[in-house]
Amino acid sequence: MTPRRIVVTGTDTGIGKTVFSAGLVDRLGADYWKPVQAGLDGETDSETVARLAGIGGGRVHAEAYRLKMPVSPHRAAASEGVAIDVAGLAPPPTLRPLVIEGAGGVLVPLTPAASFADVLARWGFPVVLCARTSLGTINHTLLSLEALRHRAVPLFGVAFVGEAEPETAQAIAGIGRVRILGRLAWLPQLTAALLRQSFRQGFGARFDVGPGGEGCDV
């Protein structure tokens, strides 16, 4: 089984980590928590996960901070006169596994002095790094891996989102010395049923291994 607390972060914003999170929540029968939501127009990430994973009834935990502007959390917070208490961010208690989704990329600033990676280092939960498969992803992914390792954040592995690029995945696995978990293909129609099918096809039994974080790259 996977660790009971696992964080989904990304190499950038808008790369599909919310959809991946929904698939992971469904696969694990987990709860979901997005600590900081920046941007409230339209469907929020929590609402997207609830819809695609088919969960509710307390399994989607309330965000610690809900900020209106769809920009970096530190900027959105400043615009509303909100001070994000980085030290006070703590996962909600639950008896189920918990999938935690970060905001933006690994080094997105939560305050002028602290990034999301600093919170990950304090928590010490294994991290899944979501990466796109398009041009530029090798550089972005390797830099994100270095940032996480610099802070001794445990790495569960890299999950790709997009079209198959086996040579790209091979380069990242070799140079980055990291486990490739699989790939979630882009879906022409995003529904709960199709996401479940695609997630199983893309990751197989990857999330049935590594009890308590064993097998993580630390």
Side-chain angles (χ1 to χ4, degrees):
M1 295 178 65
T2 51
R4 292 191 61 81
R5 300 290 182 271
I6 191 163
V7 180
V8 176
T9 187
T11 59
D12 201 349
T13 189
I15 62 170
K17 65 180 181 295
T18 298
V19 176
F20 172 85
S21 294
L24 185 58
V25 165
D26 176 67
R27 182 74 180 89
L28 300 178
D31 286 7
Y32 170 85
W33 183 50
K34 174 95 172 184
V36 180
Q37 172 69 53
L40 299 179
D41 289 338
E43 190 174 58
T44 66
D45 292 344
S46 293
E47 291 166 344
T48 297
V49 170
R51 174 173 57 83
L52 291 177
I55 61 173
R59 287 181 56 188
V60 176
H61 297 268
E63 301 94 335
Y65 296 93
R66 289 173 57 87
L67 306 166
K68 296 177 182 178
M69 290 181 64
V71 294
S72 175
H74 82 296
R75 182 181 167 192
S79 73
E80 297 180 36
V82 173
I84 295 178
D85 179 11
V86 174
L89 284 175
T94 175
L95 297 178
R96 300 183 188 88
L98 179 66
V99 173
I100 304 168
E101 183 188 352
V106 168
L107 291 179
V108 67
L110 298 177
T111 73
S115 71
F116 191 67
D118 297 318
V119 177
L120 297 182
R122 177 167 60 83
W123 286 344
F125 300 143
V127 166
V128 172
L129 178 65
C130 285
R132 58 168 55 94
T133 59
S134 56
L135 186 64
T137 195
I138 295 177
N139 180 65
H140 293 164
T141 304
L142 295 179
L143 286 173
S144 297
L145 291 172
E146 285 200 9
L148 292 169
R149 287 195 173 112
H150 178 70
R151 293 164 175 79
V153 175
L155 288 166
F156 195 74
V158 171
F160 289 108
V161 182
E163 300 299 325
E165 292 289 349
E167 292 183 356
T168 294
Q170 184 178 12
I172 289 172
I175 300 172
R177 306 180 311 282
V178 67
R179 175 170 56 172
I180 304 302
L181 299 171
R183 178 180 63 88
L184 183 63
W186 286 115
L187 298 172
Q189 184 180 8
L190 190 54
T191 66
L194 289 176
L195 175 59
R196 175 178 290 181
Q197 179 183 9
S198 182
F199 196 92
R200 289 184 181 276
Q201 289 175 345
F203 298 98
R206 281 293 190 181
F207 292 98
D208 293 335
V209 297
E214 294 177 6
C216 295
D217 178 328
V218 295

PDB file of all heavy atoms in Angstrom, residues 163-185:
ATOM      1  N   GLU A 163       1.012  13.119 -23.403  1.00  0.00           N
ATOM      2  CA  GLU A 163       1.276  12.098 -24.412  1.00  0.00           C
ATOM      3  C   GLU A 163       2.532  11.305 -24.048  1.00  0.00           C
ATOM      4  O   GLU A 163       3.423  11.790 -23.352  1.00  0.00           O
ATOM      5  CB  GLU A 163       1.455  12.753 -25.785  1.00  0.00           C
ATOM      6  CG  GLU A 163       0.249  13.552 -26.273  1.00  0.00           C
ATOM      7  CD  GLU A 163      -0.987  12.690 -26.421  1.00  0.00           C
ATOM      8  OE1 GLU A 163      -0.840  11.499 -26.815  1.00  0.00           O
ATOM      9  OE2 GLU A 163      -2.094  13.194 -26.152  1.00  0.00           O
ATOM     10  N   ALA A 164       2.599  10.071 -24.528  1.00  0.00           N
ATOM     11  CA  ALA A 164       3.747   9.213 -24.232  1.00  0.00           C
ATOM     12  C   ALA A 164       5.023   9.769 -24.864  1.00  0.00           C
ATOM     13  O   ALA A 164       5.058  10.078 -26.053  1.00  0.00           O
ATOM     14  CB  ALA A 164       3.486   7.805 -24.749  1.00  0.00           C
ATOM     15  N   GLU A 165       6.068   9.924 -24.022  1.00  0.00           N
ATOM     16  CA  GLU A 165       7.392  10.351 -24.486  1.00  0.00           C
ATOM     17  C   GLU A 165       8.420   9.496 -23.752  1.00  0.00           C
ATOM     18  O   GLU A 165       9.063   9.938 -22.793  1.00  0.00           O
ATOM     19  CB  GLU A 165       7.619  11.834 -24.200  1.00  0.00           C
ATOM     20  CG  GLU A 165       6.754  12.783 -24.994  1.00  0.00           C
ATOM     21  CD  GLU A 165       7.127  12.858 -26.457  1.00  0.00           C
ATOM     22  OE1 GLU A 165       8.200  12.323 -26.825  1.00  0.00           O
ATOM     23  OE2 GLU A 165       6.345  13.427 -27.243  1.00  0.00           O
ATOM     24  N   PRO A 166       8.587   8.222 -24.157  1.00  0.00           N
ATOM     25  CA  PRO A 166       9.444   7.295 -23.409  1.00  0.00           C
ATOM     26  C   PRO A 166      10.891   7.752 -23.274  1.00  0.00           C
ATOM     27  O   PRO A 166      11.522   7.506 -22.236  1.00  0.00           O
ATOM     28  CB  PRO A 166       9.331   5.986 -24.210  1.00  0.00           C
ATOM     29  CG  PRO A 166       8.775   6.363 -25.548  1.00  0.00           C
ATOM     30  CD  PRO A 166       7.936   7.569 -25.316  1.00  0.00           C
ATOM     31  N   GLU A 167      11.446   8.406 -24.277  1.00  0.00           N
ATOM     32  CA  GLU A 167      12.832   8.865 -24.173  1.00  0.00           C
ATOM     33  C   GLU A 167      12.972   9.962 -23.129  1.00  0.00           C
ATOM     34  O   GLU A 167      13.977  10.035 -22.405  1.00  0.00           O
ATOM     35  CB  GLU A 167      13.326   9.347 -25.532  1.00  0.00           C
ATOM     36  CG  GLU A 167      13.468   8.231 -26.554  1.00  0.00           C
ATOM     37  CD  GLU A 167      14.018   8.723 -27.875  1.00  0.00           C
ATOM     38  OE1 GLU A 167      14.228   9.947 -28.021  1.00  0.00           O
ATOM     39  OE2 GLU A 167      14.261   7.881 -28.757  1.00  0.00           O
ATOM     40  N   THR A 168      11.958  10.820 -23.048  1.00  0.00           N
ATOM     41  CA  THR A 168      11.957  11.867 -22.025  1.00  0.00           C
ATOM     42  C   THR A 168      11.892  11.247 -20.638  1.00  0.00           C
ATOM     43  O   THR A 168      12.638  11.636 -19.725  1.00  0.00           O
ATOM     44  CB  THR A 168      10.761  12.813 -22.236  1.00  0.00           C
ATOM     45  OG1 THR A 168      10.930  13.513 -23.472  1.00  0.00           O
ATOM     46  CG2 THR A 168      10.648  13.814 -21.102  1.00  0.00           C
ATOM     47  N   ALA A 169      11.008  10.279 -20.465  1.00  0.00           N
ATOM     48  CA  ALA A 169      10.874   9.614 -19.168  1.00  0.00           C
ATOM     49  C   ALA A 169      12.172   8.910 -18.789  1.00  0.00           C
ATOM     50  O   ALA A 169      12.598   8.948 -17.622  1.00  0.00           O
ATOM     51  CB  ALA A 169       9.721   8.618 -19.218  1.00  0.00           C
ATOM     52  N   GLN A 170      12.816   8.288 -19.770  1.00  0.00           N
ATOM     53  CA  GLN A 170      14.067   7.580 -19.516  1.00  0.00           C
ATOM     54  C   GLN A 170      15.167   8.542 -19.076  1.00  0.00           C
ATOM     55  O   GLN A 170      15.950   8.246 -18.170  1.00  0.00           O
ATOM     56  CB  GLN A 170      14.501   6.818 -20.765  1.00  0.00           C
ATOM     57  CG  GLN A 170      15.739   5.957 -20.578  1.00  0.00           C
ATOM     58  CD  GLN A 170      16.103   5.179 -21.830  1.00  0.00           C
ATOM     59  OE1 GLN A 170      15.572   5.437 -22.906  1.00  0.00           O
ATOM     60  NE2 GLN A 170      17.006   4.223 -21.695  1.00  0.00           N
ATOM     61  N   ALA A 171      15.219   9.700 -19.714  1.00  0.00           N
ATOM     62  CA  ALA A 171      16.238  10.689 -19.351  1.00  0.00           C
ATOM     63  C   ALA A 171      16.036  11.192 -17.935  1.00  0.00           C
ATOM     64  O   ALA A 171      16.988  11.329 -17.159  1.00  0.00           O
ATOM     65  CB  ALA A 171      16.201  11.854 -20.337  1.00  0.00           C
ATOM     66  N   ILE A 172      14.790  11.465 -17.575  1.00  0.00           N
ATOM     67  CA  ILE A 172      14.501  11.963 -16.233  1.00  0.00           C
ATOM     68  C   ILE A 172      14.808  10.896 -15.186  1.00  0.00           C
ATOM     69  O   ILE A 172      15.378  11.179 -14.126  1.00  0.00           O
ATOM     70  CB  ILE A 172      13.040  12.429 -16.146  1.00  0.00           C
ATOM     71  CG1 ILE A 172      12.866  13.724 -16.961  1.00  0.00           C
ATOM     72  CG2 ILE A 172      12.607  12.647 -14.698  1.00  0.00           C
ATOM     73  CD1 ILE A 172      11.434  14.174 -17.112  1.00  0.00           C
ATOM     74  N   ALA A 173      14.440   9.646 -15.485  1.00  0.00           N
ATOM     75  CA  ALA A 173      14.710   8.559 -14.549  1.00  0.00           C
ATOM     76  C   ALA A 173      16.213   8.386 -14.333  1.00  0.00           C
ATOM     77  O   ALA A 173      16.675   8.208 -13.200  1.00  0.00           O
ATOM     78  CB  ALA A 173      14.093   7.261 -15.059  1.00  0.00           C
ATOM     79  N   GLY A 174      16.991   8.458 -15.423  1.00  0.00           N
ATOM     80  CA  GLY A 174      18.427   8.236 -15.318  1.00  0.00           C
ATOM     81  C   GLY A 174      19.176   9.393 -14.687  1.00  0.00           C
ATOM     82  O   GLY A 174      19.910   9.209 -13.711  1.00  0.00           O
ATOM     83  N   ILE A 175      18.969  10.580 -15.214  1.00  0.00           N
ATOM     84  CA  ILE A 175      19.692  11.743 -14.689  1.00  0.00           C
ATOM     85  C   ILE A 175      19.171  12.114 -13.302  1.00  0.00           C
ATOM     86  O   ILE A 175      19.934  12.486 -12.406  1.00  0.00           O
ATOM     87  CB  ILE A 175      19.550  12.941 -15.642  1.00  0.00           C
ATOM     88  CG1 ILE A 175      20.128  12.596 -17.013  1.00  0.00           C
ATOM     89  CG2 ILE A 175      20.245  14.181 -15.073  1.00  0.00           C
ATOM     90  CD1 ILE A 175      19.863  13.644 -18.073  1.00  0.00           C
ATOM     91  N   GLY A 176      17.847  12.009 -13.122  1.00  0.00           N
ATOM     92  CA  GLY A 176      17.256  12.398 -11.845  1.00  0.00           C
ATOM     93  C   GLY A 176      17.292  11.322 -10.782  1.00  0.00           C
ATOM     94  O   GLY A 176      16.958  11.574  -9.625  1.00  0.00           O
ATOM     95  N   ARG A 177      17.700  10.094 -11.167  1.00  0.00           N
ATOM     96  CA  ARG A 177      17.774   8.984 -10.211  1.00  0.00           C
ATOM     97  C   ARG A 177      16.460   8.868  -9.426  1.00  0.00           C
ATOM     98  O   ARG A 177      16.443   8.888  -8.198  1.00  0.00           O
ATOM     99  CB  ARG A 177      18.955   9.165  -9.248  1.00  0.00           C
ATOM    100  CG  ARG A 177      20.289   9.365  -9.950  1.00  0.00           C
ATOM    101  CD  ARG A 177      21.437   9.531  -8.972  1.00  0.00           C
ATOM    102  NE  ARG A 177      21.161  10.503  -7.924  1.00  0.00           N
ATOM    103  CZ  ARG A 177      21.223  11.812  -8.070  1.00  0.00           C
ATOM    104  NH1 ARG A 177      21.553  12.342  -9.246  1.00  0.00           N
ATOM    105  NH2 ARG A 177      20.966  12.612  -7.063  1.00  0.00           N
ATOM    106  N   VAL A 178      15.382   8.747 -10.175  1.00  0.00           N
ATOM    107  CA  VAL A 178      14.068   8.754  -9.558  1.00  0.00           C
ATOM    108  C   VAL A 178      13.192   7.681 -10.198  1.00  0.00           C
ATOM    109  O   VAL A 178      13.377   7.324 -11.370  1.00  0.00           O
ATOM    110  CB  VAL A 178      13.403  10.151  -9.709  1.00  0.00           C
ATOM    111  CG1 VAL A 178      13.070  10.451 -11.164  1.00  0.00           C
ATOM    112  CG2 VAL A 178      12.179  10.284  -8.829  1.00  0.00           C
ATOM    113  N   ARG A 179      12.256   7.171  -9.442  1.00  0.00           N
ATOM    114  CA  ARG A 179      11.323   6.170  -9.948  1.00  0.00           C
ATOM    115  C   ARG A 179      10.227   6.844 -10.777  1.00  0.00           C
ATOM    116  O   ARG A 179       9.643   7.838 -10.355  1.00  0.00           O
ATOM    117  CB  ARG A 179      10.688   5.425  -8.762  1.00  0.00           C
ATOM    118  CG  ARG A 179       9.609   4.443  -9.156  1.00  0.00           C
ATOM    119  CD  ARG A 179       9.179   3.574  -7.988  1.00  0.00           C
ATOM    120  NE  ARG A 179       8.729   4.338  -6.840  1.00  0.00           N
ATOM    121  CZ  ARG A 179       8.157   3.796  -5.760  1.00  0.00           C
ATOM    122  NH1 ARG A 179       7.999   2.495  -5.696  1.00  0.00           N
ATOM    123  NH2 ARG A 179       7.770   4.544  -4.764  1.00  0.00           N
ATOM    124  N   ILE A 180       9.950   6.300 -11.949  1.00  0.00           N
ATOM    125  CA  ILE A 180       8.846   6.771 -12.774  1.00  0.00           C
ATOM    126  C   ILE A 180       7.626   5.917 -12.431  1.00  0.00           C
ATOM    127  O   ILE A 180       7.627   4.700 -12.629  1.00  0.00           O
ATOM    128  CB  ILE A 180       9.170   6.675 -14.277  1.00  0.00           C
ATOM    129  CG1 ILE A 180      10.464   7.444 -14.600  1.00  0.00           C
ATOM    130  CG2 ILE A 180       7.996   7.193 -15.091  1.00  0.00           C
ATOM    131  CD1 ILE A 180      10.425   8.918 -14.227  1.00  0.00           C
ATOM    132  N   LEU A 181       6.594   6.553 -11.936  1.00  0.00           N
ATOM    133  CA  LEU A 181       5.410   5.840 -11.475  1.00  0.00           C
ATOM    134  C   LEU A 181       4.493   5.430 -12.615  1.00  0.00           C
ATOM    135  O   LEU A 181       3.791   4.414 -12.524  1.00  0.00           O
ATOM    136  CB  LEU A 181       4.632   6.709 -10.486  1.00  0.00           C
ATOM    137  CG  LEU A 181       5.392   7.111  -9.223  1.00  0.00           C
ATOM    138  CD1 LEU A 181       4.605   8.153  -8.441  1.00  0.00           C
ATOM    139  CD2 LEU A 181       5.665   5.889  -8.346  1.00  0.00           C
ATOM    140  N   GLY A 182       4.478   6.211 -13.677  1.00  0.00           N
ATOM    141  CA  GLY A 182       3.598   5.933 -14.800  1.00  0.00           C
ATOM    142  C   GLY A 182       3.169   7.228 -15.463  1.00  0.00           C
ATOM    143  O   GLY A 182       3.747   8.294 -15.217  1.00  0.00           O
ATOM    144  N   ARG A 183       2.124   7.125 -16.272  1.00  0.00           N
ATOM    145  CA  ARG A 183       1.676   8.292 -17.042  1.00  0.00           C
ATOM    146  C   ARG A 183       0.160   8.315 -17.128  1.00  0.00           C
ATOM    147  O   ARG A 183      -0.471   7.296 -17.423  1.00  0.00           O
ATOM    148  CB  ARG A 183       2.269   8.252 -18.455  1.00  0.00           C
ATOM    149  CG  ARG A 183       1.825   9.409 -19.359  1.00  0.00           C
ATOM    150  CD  ARG A 183       2.463   9.282 -20.734  1.00  0.00           C
ATOM    151  NE  ARG A 183       2.026   8.067 -21.420  1.00  0.00           N
ATOM    152  CZ  ARG A 183       0.941   7.992 -22.191  1.00  0.00           C
ATOM    153  NH1 ARG A 183       0.164   9.071 -22.372  1.00  0.00           N
ATOM    154  NH2 ARG A 183       0.613   6.863 -22.785  1.00  0.00           N
ATOM    155  N   LEU A 184      -0.403   9.476 -16.866  1.00  0.00           N
ATOM    156  CA  LEU A 184      -1.834   9.699 -17.035  1.00  0.00           C
ATOM    157  C   LEU A 184      -2.039  10.396 -18.370  1.00  0.00           C
ATOM    158  O   LEU A 184      -1.568  11.513 -18.573  1.00  0.00           O
ATOM    159  CB  LEU A 184      -2.384  10.563 -15.896  1.00  0.00           C
ATOM    160  CG  LEU A 184      -3.896  10.818 -15.894  1.00  0.00           C
ATOM    161  CD1 LEU A 184      -4.671   9.518 -15.737  1.00  0.00           C
ATOM    162  CD2 LEU A 184      -4.264  11.794 -14.782  1.00  0.00           C
ATOM    163  N   ALA A 185      -2.723   9.726 -19.294  1.00  0.00           N
ATOM    164  CA  ALA A 185      -2.933  10.293 -20.616  1.00  0.00           C
ATOM    165  C   ALA A 185      -3.968  11.409 -20.558  1.00  0.00           C
ATOM    166  O   ALA A 185      -4.864  11.400 -19.716  1.00  0.00           O
ATOM    167  CB  ALA A 185      -3.401   9.196 -21.579  1.00  0.00           C
TER     168      ALA A 185
END
